[in-house]
Amino acid sequence: MSTVVDTLEDLEPLVGNSLGASSWVEITQERINTFADATDDHQWIHVDPDRSARESPFGTTVAHGFLTLSLLPSMLADVLVMVDAKLVVNYGLNKVRFPAPVPAGSRVRGSIVLAALDEEAGSSQLTLAVTVEREGGTKP
């Protein structure tokens, strides 16, 4: 269920709290291949299921870390609806780590906390703490 706010001011009491978890997203081999084509990153651990089954410590292909990262906007949209937002821009990333692989066929979702809300010269900057978890995984 999404958190819906009418105005940015409605976010203020939510600072420090969970906004919720997104729906599960399946990481198919087709999605991995499409991402590899879009980024020209065709490393075999991502796109060669046969070789990955033989040689990879994961026993299968795994998603690019940046593929997982690129799902954050849709995960956020699934969790937070800002009715009066005129424009939303990704300002950047503070700390990103990929502590566990995401094997092809996995499902992931993002749990999102509103860490900070700062006013910036006629706009607002939201800092979100997002943890992406793999269904059945022990590490984010």
Side-chain angles (χ1 to χ4, degrees):
M1 174 166 234
S2 297
T3 298
V4 179
V5 295
D6 290 321
T7 67
L8 287 169
E9 291 78 26
D10 295 336
L11 284 173
E12 290 175 8
L14 301 176
V15 172
N17 295 299
S18 172
L19 299 178
S22 71
S23 299
W24 291 103
V25 177
E26 186 171 3
I27 306 300
T28 64
Q29 186 61 53
E30 179 181 7
R31 185 185 291 256
I32 293 169
N33 292 346
T34 299
F35 190 84
D37 289 342
T39 60
D40 289 330
D41 182 354
H42 294 94
Q43 185 179 169
W44 63 268
I45 64 169
H46 303 304
V47 298
D48 190 336
D50 293 334
R51 184 174 178 189
S52 292
R54 287 190 319 270
E55 299 179 32
S56 169
F58 312 118
T60 187
T61 54
V62 294
H64 306 72
F66 287 117
L67 166 55
T68 306
L69 188 62
S70 74
L71 296 172
L72 295 186
S74 67
M75 290 177 178
L76 176 60
D78 195 34
V79 170
L80 178 63
V81 176
M82 295 184 292
V83 176
D84 79 339
K86 292 176 180 57
L87 176 66
V88 177
V89 176
N90 184 346
Y91 183 70
L93 305 166
N94 293 341
K95 180 179 176 183
V96 176
R97 299 291 182 266
F98 305 108
V102 177
S106 296
R107 294 187 340 151
V108 296
R109 70 177 175 187
S111 296
I112 302 172
V113 172
L114 178 57
L117 176 62
D118 299 304
E119 297 297 319
E120 301 268 336
S123 66
S124 295
Q125 181 175 321
L126 281 67
T127 301
L128 304 170
V130 182
T131 301
V132 176
E133 66 176 305
R134 180 175 58 88
E135 189 175 42
T138 57
K139 289 184 181 179

